[in-house]
């Protein structure tokens, strides 16, 4: 069993993509630490585990590697995988969040096409809807089991795992606030920016809030 079979992607891989597209992606996708002479996507699952990475995360990375039309094909499959992951009782919210990040960044640059524009907004809202579940996970990353054992034995600590971390940027909040401001919905953009600031996401929300407040005051 290889990684594509493990995630039940083999049939889709062989039918949705052309031989040339599969060749390009499998050639260019080389995870760190993996022998460059072996095609990772076809490597047999022998003494390896893929359980720490969700299907949507794998597809998100493949979409980044893919070129031309294959990128859109894989992005569509990534969105499907994200929605499947959200329907499961146990969810890897970080992988879902990162996959949504990639989807938003794919659709928004194509915003001149109304379908892509609406899809970007939809995905922003979806990423925002799970944002509160990500705050603790990003602020206090889960320590690997091996490191937990070592620290228990030695009493050592690690600044990344044992101290609160700064939250990253949140594409959904940032992009949708920009969209709403451009559409003239200053109140909606302000509300989003205030919520993102309250949750602690990085980006210059104080400046955005000041600017939006001043715009609203002028309008009134």
């Amino acid at each position: 069993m290889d990684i594509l079979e493990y995630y039940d992607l083999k049939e889709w891989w062989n039918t949705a993509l052309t031989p040339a597209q599969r060749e390009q992606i499998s050639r260019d996708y080389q995870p760190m630490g993996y022998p460059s002479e072996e095609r990772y996507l076809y490597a047999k699952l022998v003494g390896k585990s893929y359980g720490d990475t969700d299907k949507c995360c794998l597809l998100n990375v493949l979409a980044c590697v893919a070129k031309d039309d294959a990128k859109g094909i894989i992005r569509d499959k990534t969105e499907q995988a994200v929605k499947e992951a959200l329907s499961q009782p146990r969810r890897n919210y970080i992988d879902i969040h990162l996959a949504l990040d990639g989807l938003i960044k794919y659709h928004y640059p194509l915003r001149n096409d109304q379908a892509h524009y609406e899809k970007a907004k939809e995905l922003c809202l979806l990423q925002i809807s799970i944002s509160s579940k990500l705050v603790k996970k990003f602020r206090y990353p889960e320590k690997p089991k091996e490191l937990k054992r070592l620290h228990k034995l030695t009493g050592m600590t690690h600044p990344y795992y044992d101290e609160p971390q700064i939250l990253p940027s949140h594409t959904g909040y940032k992009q949708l606030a920009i969209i709403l401001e451009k559409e003239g919905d200053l109140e909606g953009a302000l509300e989003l920016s205030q919520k993102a600031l309250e949750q602690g996401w990085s980006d210059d929300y104080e400046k955005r809030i000041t600017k939006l407040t001043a715009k609203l005051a002028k309008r009134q």
Side-chain angles (χ1 to χ4, degrees):
M1 176 187 291
D2 60 36
I3 192 170
L4 294 168
E5 291 168 323
Y6 181 82
Y7 286 118
D8 194 26
L9 290 169
K10 196 78 167 188
E11 183 179 355
W12 165 81
W13 174 259
N14 288 326
T15 57
L17 300 166
T18 66
Q21 289 169 335
R22 297 197 298 271
E23 165 65 21
Q24 179 265 309
I25 296 164
S26 65
R27 182 187 66 244
D28 294 346
Y29 178 43
Q30 292 292 340
M32 286 182 63
Y34 205 83
S36 58
E37 66 274 7
E38 187 173 359
R39 296 294 177 91
Y40 179 77
L41 290 173
Y42 303 130
K44 294 301 177 184
L45 182 58
V46 178
K48 303 182 181 75
S49 173
Y50 303 120
D52 291 338
T53 301
D54 279 0
K55 180 193 290 189
C56 58
C57 184
L58 171 66
L59 287 164
N60 184 47
V61 176
L62 294 183
C64 292
V65 173
K67 297 177 180 178
D68 303 324
D69 292 345
K71 192 176 289 290
I73 293 169
I74 300 177
R75 286 300 182 196
D76 287 344
K77 189 67 174 178
T78 305
E79 184 181 349
Q80 179 186 332
V82 163
K83 290 177 179 178
E84 287 174 0
L86 285 169
S87 71
Q88 301 303 313
R90 296 186 65 182
R91 305 161 189 171
N92 186 329
Y93 280 108
I94 289 182
D95 277 2
I96 293 169
H97 169 87
L98 294 175
L100 285 167
D101 196 78
L103 286 166
I104 295 166
K105 289 176 179 176
Y106 168 71
H107 285 286
Y108 188 68
L110 302 172
R111 59 189 176 277
N112 287 338
D113 181 324
Q114 190 66 22
H116 284 287
Y117 182 67
E118 296 300 330
K119 179 59 68 176
K121 291 199 289 184
E122 174 191 331
L123 293 166
C124 285
L125 286 169
L126 184 56
Q127 193 183 44
I128 289 167
S129 73
I130 62 170
S131 62
S132 62
K133 302 180 187 301
L134 272 298
V135 172
K136 187 175 180 181
K137 293 182 182 296
F138 277 119
R139 201 176 292 285
Y140 300 97
E142 186 175 354
K143 188 183 293 187
K145 291 179 182 178
E146 296 78 8
L147 202 57
K148 283 182 181 178
R149 294 191 194 101
L150 176 63
H151 287 181
K152 189 173 182 180
L153 288 170
T154 62
M156 293 172 61
T157 59
H158 192 291
Y160 178 70
Y161 294 105
D162 296 302
E163 297 175 12
Q165 300 300 303
I166 296 172
L167 297 187
S169 175
H170 192 289
T171 301
Y173 273 120
K174 183 178 180 179
Q175 192 62 74
L176 190 56
I178 291 169
I179 289 171
L180 292 180
E181 182 180 356
K182 286 182 176 180
E183 289 182 348
D185 184 1
L186 301 181
E187 292 88 350
L190 178 60
E191 184 180 347
L192 276 181
S193 300
Q194 289 171 333
K195 187 176 178 182
L197 180 63
E198 288 168 10
Q199 288 186 347
W201 298 101
S202 295
D203 279 320
D204 202 351
Y205 287 111
E206 293 93 339
K207 186 180 288 186
R208 183 173 295 279
I209 288 168
T210 300
K211 182 182 74 170
L212 290 167
T213 303
K215 278 189 172 184
L216 278 166
K218 283 184 180 179
R219 178 185 285 181
Q220 294 170 356

